[in-house]
Structure formats: structure tokens, C-alpha cells
Amino acid sequence: MSRHRIANTVGLVLATLVCWMYGLHLYRAANRPLYDDSEQVPTMDTVAPDTHTMDPVLDDSNDGILTFVHASDLHISKYVATGGLVHFQHFLHTAVPLVSPRLVVVTGDLTDGKDKQKLISQQQIDEWQAYKHALSRTDFGQRFNGTFYRDQRGNHDCFNVFSHLSDENYFGSYSAVGDSSGYMLRIDEPFGTYSFVASDGCPRHGFARPLNFFGYLDARDMQLLESRLDQARGSSHVFMLNHYPVSTMVYGKYRREFSELVRQVSVFLCGHLHELVGGIGAQLQAYKAREGYWELEIGDMKEHAVYRVYAVDHDLVSFVDVRLPLPQIPMPNPELLDVRVEAPVPHPPVVLVTNPKDARYLLPKHEPLERIRQSTFIRMLVWTDVPVARVEVRIDGQLHPHPAVFRGTERQVGNSVNETVKTPLWAAPWDPELYNDGNVHELEVVATDTAGKSTTSRTPFVIGRDSVPLQNDARGGWIMQQSFSSMFQTSACVSYILMTLCLLVIPRVYFATLPNFSSWLSERSVQHHKDMAYIRHLYTLCCNADSLVVRAKLGLAMLAARAKFLVWTQFTAQVYLASVPWLFWPGYFFAMGMCVLPLFTGRLIPSARGSDAVGSVYAYGIYISHEWSPLLDSWTYALASIVSLGMLLVYLPVAVASPSMFYAPRAKRPWYRTVTIRVLVVVFVLVYLGAPTLMTAYTYGWVSVVFGYGRGWLFAAACLALYVADWRMPVSLSNYARILPSMPSESN
């Protein structure tokens, strides 16, 4: 090997290592806001102390019950003529008066924050005014000294908002809470203390969409969260609220990890994902066994008109999902922001069984589950807008021998006539020992009002501490159990390293060690022809075999031989790529650039003034206004660019190489050189690189294309390479043999 080749190879390896080291430096810098560098204090015990006593018995008394309602993702829009504001107003004037809870919480996305084409994000003051006006027509803001209605921001509420102090942060002026950082609400009842801790997972700088799907809490946010959770210590239950599910968040650390802090939390309430599509988000719920809490995402109010009613009965937490009884969901709203709903609509009964508790949602680390076994009455809450006609109770299909009796009341909490909490308790005597057999039983409650409206509730229960599996992996459980932060970062890093090493560096180093590249290429070609002949021989034997067992064995042998053939032909193609300067060096440049350069730079927050609007999106995070935002969205962009470049580095070598390098001469064109495959590759590039590039330009300005190394430049280079390789170069069978000699080579 000549000194020139040795120098080139050493330089290539050193350049790769230098780029990777600088990339590691950028990664650490991007993630520095997540962690506090101050001296750490000893870890505190974050497991909530046992505040439950065994004195209360679940009988037919109507005390010991706290109720609250959860809704999310209103998406009030001045352009969308369905759902949104009209659903929200029906919620305010129908659902809330029906349940009359102690608290109403809304976990973000109060407004839609998009333009008419639904492409550009922009805070619309009209939408915020409509939200505030809808609330002002109720007395929710004054009930219970302003603690009745609590809201917080979602990602749509911080679209294109530079900071909490920006004029565009309308949440501060038009929301019920006003504090963008969240809140800590402590409700003291004679029977217990219940804390609600809301954190704001929105990025510190609210980027214009689509760079605003994931959330994070940096070290400063974690300090505030830790302080609020410390204030909640000693509560009977702690409910944590965030717009984003845990799986879509990146949590930093102040003194303690999030997994440590959340051990004192009973239920994590969130929204954001709506119900996804195709049923995969129909039940976005998961029990985090290690920390001991339930994460319960709720469907959106925008299109699905869903709200959730919670009841804490003697510290047993139960809930039921309810859809607004509208004639059509989503309900048409041609009046947009001018719609006005005053009168409630007829609502079917809302039934929530609190004892025995649904065995799928037990909280063994936070609930006194022994109270179920020691109880003397079945307890259920039945909310109706007209008097109840009857409540029927069945267990395992058999009519319960004891009828349910109304024991409810309206409890005055505040000074106003509206400051009452309904506890419409129905109770029926029972003996839980009759069902203490380790089996799962079903409690069925049918409530009918005097208007003929009826609701059926079915609750699986067990007597004991063993829960029943939810079995919702295919309907959202798997999503809620994941950490997309780890998933995307690991996928991007592993994909990038494999792409760089296997498709570029190793083939180039191997090429540099070859004393005679042309001879090696001829030897590899002969070997590939032999391998292909062997595969065809196995195929012939398989087709002519009489025994199914022999066919199966020959089929497996053929698949193994085919896999080996594809691996080695691809390696040959990658080594050949290393000999083609006009393909290899641009590919290497893009691969190294993804590690050290921004994927693109543009006006990421158009509403910001001057240079504050301009930011750079790296793989590791977003750099704007002289600081990093460790937003997970940047990793998804990087992963898309890595996959695109990797696909091109796999396809282009075999596209420019002569088919005779891999196959013996024949009349039929190889499958990967057919027009169909070439068109599909072009479509892939247009869809996976072209469309996102145009979207980026439309959203963040054409500067994002000019300085869009990982988007605009990569798209332009891909189009040029495919044009030369697939459409400019001769592709007829008679010209295949001329492709190899015509390519620039470094074989000498």
C-alpha cells in the first residue's frame, strides 16, 4: 500500500474520530440545561407516608368522597368549523353542572394556534379571547376562592412563543391560572388532604410547529416540581398533571430523578395524544409498577368530546370516561368563535362505582385496599339531570338480593349557592367474603332516570390486592410504557454509527489496503456468479423435490445462501463506492456533517424579535438565543436524515455498478434496475426529503433551505446523484458493460 493511500486512510479515520468527539461535546452541551451542577444533597425518601387509617368502613354514609373532573385538548379554533369551542361550552354548561365536582382540571391545548391552512403556527388572540369569554359566562373562576377551575399550557398554547414573558404568551392574560409554570393546589377535607401538582412541559422557547411535539423539564423546572411535590408530602393522594405523557417527555434532574420524585404520586393525568388513529390510542393508560402510579391520558375535547370524572372514596381512586351527549360528534360549529351555548343538553346518567374498585386500576402502594374486603356496602355515584327512576345491581349476571338505596347529598363547601359538591351516592349491602375466592367477578350497575335515559356500568373486581391485567397494549398501553427519548436517541446513534462504519469508513479502509482493485473486483465478480449459480441450483432442487421435509430444508438453505449473497454483493458495492470520488466524498461529508453541523437553521420562532427568532436545529437539540433547548423533536429530524442518507448510500453503489459485477450476463434486467424500483426510489426521496424540506421552508423561511445542511442540501444532493446514476447514465442492457469503466476510479 502506497504512502499516499496510508495517509488518506489515516486522515479519514482521524477526521471521523474528531467529528465524533466534537459531536459528543455538542451532545453534552445540549443536555447541560437538564442537569444542575450544584452540590447534590442526600436523597430523601420520596415514598409517601401512609396517611390511611383502618378506622373508616365503607358503609352507606356519604362522607369521605372527593370528586373532580378532567378534560384536555380543547383546541379552540377560529378556522375549524367542528368541535372545539362548541364542545367546550357544552362541557361548561352541561357536564360540569351535572357532576358539580370540587375541582375541574384542563391539561392544555386550550387553543389551536394555527393559521387557516393549518400549516403555520401562530397564537390567535381571538381564540384566547373566546376561551376567556366562555369561562367568564360561568362563575368557575370565583368558586372556592378561585380553586375550582385549573388550567395549564399545552404545546399548541406555546407555539411561536419565545418565552413566558413574551407578548404572544396569551396564557398569562387569558387563562384561569395565569402562571405558565403550572401550579400546586392543596385541597384539605375533613377526611384527608389531596394535592394537585401541575408542571409545564412546554419548551422554554416555544418553537413554531412542527418542532413542538415533545416536551421537557430542565433543571430549573425540576427544581420547581421538586419543591411543589415536597409541599405535597403527607397528602392522602398526590395527583400530578402535565399536558405531555411521560413517554413524550425528557426529564432533567435537580436533586432527585423524576422516577424518584414520582413515587409519591398516585395518578399522573395528561392529554396531548388525543386518541391517535386506527384505535391504537383508544386506551392510553399504563401502570408504572416500579414507581407505583397510574398514568392516565384522556381523549380530546376537540373532536371526541371526552371528559373524565374521578372520585376518591375513602382514599380509593376510581374514574369513568364520559362523552358529551351531543347529536353529532364532532359537532358542527359554523359560527366558529361566535358560537354561544347557554342551556344544558339532556345527559344520560353518569355511573361511577367506587366500591368495590375496578381491579384493573388498583394502586397497592397508595390505596388502603383492605377497606374493600372490610366494607359492608357496594357504593356507586350516579349523576343525573332528572330524578333517578331505578338503580339495578348485578354481580356475575345475578340480580343482587339487596336493592340500592340513595344516600347522596349536596355538600356546601363555600359561601356561594353554587359552591356545593354533589355526592349522589347509592349503596347496597353486601358481604365481600362471598367473593373472596381469588377469582375475578363483575359488578354491573344499570341506572335509569325518569326521562328513560339509561347507562350501564361494568366493573371487574377481586377481593384482595391482586390486580387484573388491563391488556391494552394494542390500544395505547405499549405507547405509554415507552421512553421515546431513549428510543429515538438510541435508534439515531446506532443507525448513524452503523451507517458511517459499514457503508463508508470500513469499505474505504478496505479499498485502501487492496494492492490491485481491478483484480479484486474481478475475483469478487466470479465469486458472486458462483454464489448465484448455487442459489439457482438449490431452487431447481427445491422445485423438483417430492418430500415436503426435503423442500423445507432446501428452502432454508436457499434463503441462507441468498442472504449471504446479498450481504457480500452489498459489501462489494460499498467498496466500489469508495473508489468513486464523486459519490464517496459527498456521502462522507454529509455523514460527518450530521454529527457536527446543524440540520438546518431558520426562523424557528417567527414572532420573536431580531436574532432571537433564528435558531439552529442540531441532532442533539436546538440552539437559539445563546442557549440550548434539549427538545426530542431534533432527534426525530436527525433520524429521518440518517435513514435517508443510509438508504441512498445502499442504493447508489449498486445503481452505478455494472450488473455483471453481481450476476452472469443475461437478457433480463436485474430487479433493482427496473423502472419501477428507480421510480420508487425517487418517490422515497421526494416524500421523505423533498416534502419535509418544503414544509421547513414554508414554516421557517427559505433561509432554512440555504442553511439546511441536513435537509435542503441533502435533498439537492440526492436528486443530483439519482439523476446522474439512474437517468443520465445509460441503463440499457447493451450499455451496462460500459458503466464500470466509465466511472472515475482511484484504483491506481
Side-chain angles (χ1 to χ4, degrees):
M1 186 166 58
S2 66
R3 292 182 179 179
H4 178 69
R5 283 195 176 185
I6 293 176
N8 283 346
T9 303
V10 172
L12 178 78
V13 174
L14 288 178
T16 302
L17 293 177
V18 168
C19 288
W20 286 4
M21 292 298 294
Y22 186 69
L24 180 61
H25 164 73
L26 291 176
Y27 171 79
R28 290 176 174 174
N31 285 274
R32 193 169 295 127
L34 295 174
Y35 303 100
D36 178 59
D37 295 330
S38 61
E39 184 179 353
Q40 300 298 302
V41 298
T43 300
M44 298 174 59
D45 179 16
T46 56
V47 178
D50 187 6
T51 59
H52 314 294
T53 65
M54 292 310 301
D55 296 333
V57 176
L58 289 167
D59 51 19
D60 62 344
S61 62
N62 58 23
D63 59 353
I65 301 176
L66 172 73
T67 58
F68 62 94
V69 172
H70 177 208
S72 189
D73 295 88
L74 313 180
H75 289 270
I76 295 174
S77 173
K78 63 187 295 185
Y79 299 114
V80 180
T82 57
L85 182 58
V86 67
H87 286 180
F88 180 55
Q89 292 195 16
H90 278 293
F91 170 72
L92 296 179
H93 295 284
T94 298
V96 176
L98 173 73
V99 179
S100 189
R102 170 59 182 85
L103 173 68
V104 176
V105 294
V106 180
T107 51
D109 278 0
L110 312 178
T111 65
D112 205 37
K114 290 186 286 188
D115 66 350
K116 191 172 184 178
Q117 288 72 34
K118 304 179 185 179
L119 295 175
I120 292 180
S121 51
Q122 178 181 352
Q123 293 301 309
Q124 306 284 356
I125 192 170
D126 296 346
E127 297 174 353
W128 285 99
Q129 290 172 341
Y131 173 70
K132 185 172 184 178
H133 186 55
L135 285 177
S136 67
R137 294 205 299 270
T138 70
D139 64 345
F140 294 174
Q142 292 75 44
R143 289 192 193 180
F144 309 132
N145 296 320
T147 64
F148 176 71
Y149 184 91
R150 304 271 89 183
D151 53 16
Q152 63 186 112
R153 296 198 304 172
N155 60 314
H156 283 248
D157 304 320
C158 64
F159 277 163
N160 200 13
V161 176
F162 180 73
S163 72
H164 296 296
L165 302 178
S166 298
D167 294 338
E168 291 75 18
N169 184 27
Y170 297 131
F171 182 88
S173 302
Y174 295 94
S175 68
V177 173
D179 186 354
S180 299
S181 68
Y183 58 86
M184 190 280 182
L185 176 64
R186 186 182 180 101
I187 298 179
D188 293 308
E189 298 284 359
F191 46 84
T193 298
Y194 305 91
S195 296
F196 295 80
V197 178
S199 60
D200 180 48
C202 293
R204 191 165 294 277
H205 298 296
F207 304 101
R209 65 187 304 265
L211 270 177
N212 205 330
F213 182 79
F214 297 94
Y216 71 88
L217 294 183
D218 61 20
R220 287 175 288 180
D221 299 322
M222 291 298 291
Q223 180 182 10
L224 181 59
L225 175 62
E226 187 171 331
S227 173
R228 287 170 172 167
L229 287 174
D230 283 343
Q231 295 176 45
R233 293 176 64 83
S235 300
S236 302
H237 283 292
V238 178
F239 299 92
M240 186 172 171
L241 305 95
N242 194 0
H243 176 68
Y244 304 85
V246 175
S247 60
T248 63
M249 286 286 294
V250 176
Y251 285 98
K253 177 184 177 182
Y254 177 64
R255 293 290 189 268
R256 287 166 277 169
E257 300 281 357
F258 174 77
S259 59
E260 208 174 334
L261 293 173
V262 82
R263 289 177 184 171
Q264 72 183 90
V265 173
S266 298
V267 182
F268 187 102
L269 287 70
C270 57
H272 187 50
L273 298 182
H274 299 214
E275 294 185 6
L276 296 178
V277 293
I280 62 174
Q283 199 173 20
L284 290 161
Q285 303 166 354
Y287 179 63
K288 307 301 178 66
R290 182 176 179 182
E291 295 85 7
Y293 71 96
W294 269 98
E295 183 179 7
L296 302 174
E297 199 263 5
I298 188 174
D300 59 283
M301 181 63 67
K302 171 189 176 183
E303 293 183 346
H304 298 96
V306 176
Y307 66 96
R308 181 172 290 158
V309 182
Y310 283 87
V312 185
D313 186 359
H314 291 79
D315 291 336
L316 297 175
V317 183
S318 304
F319 68 92
V320 61
D321 286 353
V322 188
R323 291 190 190 272
L324 289 171
L326 302 177
Q328 181 180 342
I329 296 180
M331 188 173 181
N333 180 26
E335 297 175 332
L336 297 173
L337 299 183
D338 294 327
V339 64
R340 189 176 183 126
V341 174
E342 296 289 354
V345 297
H347 201 302
V350 175
V351 179
L352 176 55
V353 175
T354 61
N355 182 60
K357 180 181 173 175
D358 192 325
R360 296 171 297 178
Y361 298 100
L362 300 183
L363 286 164
K365 294 184 180 180
H366 297 281
E367 291 178 321
L369 298 176
E370 295 82 2
R371 292 179 181 175
I372 300 176
R373 183 174 53 83
Q374 297 177 358
S375 65
T376 57
F377 279 79
I378 297 171
R379 296 164 63 89
M380 65 217 82
L381 297 171
V382 181
W383 291 276
T384 58
D385 52 7
V386 296
V388 176
R390 63 182 178 276
V391 175
E392 296 180 354
V393 178
R394 288 181 172 83
I395 299 180
D396 296 334
Q398 301 296 319
L399 186 66
H400 192 57
H402 304 287
V405 179
F406 181 68
R407 291 289 185 264
T409 185
E410 288 194 14
R411 180 166 54 93
Q412 187 82 20
V413 177
N415 299 322
S416 170
V417 66
N418 289 328
E419 294 184 350
T420 59
V421 175
K422 291 181 182 178
T423 53
L425 178 68
W426 288 74
W430 83 321
D431 182 3
E433 290 300 327
L434 297 176
Y435 308 98
N436 191 10
D437 54 8
N439 296 324
V440 180
H441 302 275
E442 184 180 75
L443 174 67
E444 179 183 296
V445 178
V446 181
T448 307
D449 62 24
T450 55
K453 303 188 298 293
S454 179
T455 298
T456 300
S457 169
R458 293 180 176 86
T459 304
F461 71 92
V462 294
I463 304 301
R465 304 182 67 88
D466 295 330
S467 61
V468 176
L470 192 56
Q471 296 181 340
N472 67 327
D473 286 350
R475 292 172 291 138
W478 181 86
I479 293 173
M480 301 299 282
Q481 290 284 9
Q482 303 311 304
S483 170
F484 288 108
S485 172
S486 300
M487 182 183 298
F488 287 139
Q489 291 185 26
T490 302
S491 299
C493 291
V494 171
S495 300
Y496 173 77
I497 293 174
L498 290 177
M499 176 193 71
T500 304
L501 291 178
C502 298
L503 302 182
L504 292 169
V505 176
I506 293 176
R508 179 69 185 185
V509 172
Y510 186 82
F511 165 75
T513 63
L514 295 174
N516 190 318
F517 176 64
S518 298
S519 298
W520 178 85
L521 204 58
S522 298
E523 293 173 1
R524 293 308 307 161
S525 178
V526 171
Q527 184 61 48
H528 294 328
H529 294 172
K530 292 180 179 179
D531 292 341
M532 194 68 231
Y534 176 65
I535 293 172
R536 290 172 180 165
H537 176 65
L538 289 176
Y539 177 76
T540 301
L541 293 177
C542 183
C543 292
N544 296 330
D546 296 329
S547 171
L548 291 177
V549 175
V550 174
R551 283 191 177 187
K553 291 182 178 180
L554 289 172
L556 291 175
M558 184 175 62
L559 289 176
R562 184 71 179 180
K564 177 184 175 182
F565 174 80
L566 292 175
V567 170
W568 282 108
T569 53
Q570 189 65 51
F571 177 74
T572 301
Q574 297 307 137
V575 176
Y576 175 70
L577 172 71
S579 71
V580 184
W582 69 274
L583 275 180
F584 176 81
W585 291 113
Y588 179 79
F589 170 75
F590 278 109
M592 293 301 102
M594 286 181 185
C595 187
V596 300
L597 296 177
L599 300 175
F600 65 88
T601 297
R603 293 183 59 83
L604 305 184
I605 308 178
S607 67
R609 295 172 178 83
S611 60
D612 286 341
V614 180
S616 298
V617 179
Y618 289 79
Y620 323 102
I622 302 173
Y623 189 75
I624 189 169
S625 189
H626 309 293
E627 62 179 345
W628 285 95
S629 290
L631 200 61
L632 191 57
D633 300 66
S634 63
W635 285 95
T636 65
Y637 275 59
L639 187 58
S641 296
I642 292 168
V643 170
S644 301
L645 180 60
M647 178 269 184
L648 291 170
L649 290 177
V650 168
Y651 175 76
L652 287 173
V654 297
V656 299
S658 171
S660 60
M661 187 184 300
F662 313 119
Y663 300 93
R666 51 178 177 162
K668 188 176 180 181
R669 180 177 297 167
W671 65 271
Y672 61 88
R673 298 304 296 147
T674 60
V675 174
T676 301
I677 296 298
R678 289 153 54 201
V679 169
L680 287 176
V681 173
V682 171
V683 170
F684 171 85
V685 170
L686 291 176
V687 172
Y688 217 59
L689 283 176
T693 298
L694 292 177
M695 180 63 186
T696 302
Y698 183 78
T699 306
Y700 305 122
W702 286 101
V703 66
S704 64
V705 177
V706 177
F707 295 99
Y709 162 81
R711 275 291 175 92
W713 291 19
L714 183 59
F715 174 60
C719 291
L720 179 62
L722 290 177
Y723 172 72
V724 173
D726 270 352
W727 306 100
R728 183 66 178 87
M729 295 176 65
V731 295
S732 64
L733 289 174
S734 60
N735 286 325
Y736 272 157
R738 293 201 293 270
I739 294 179
L740 180 59
S742 66
M743 299 302 301
S745 174
E746 296 181 8
S747 59
N748 298 324

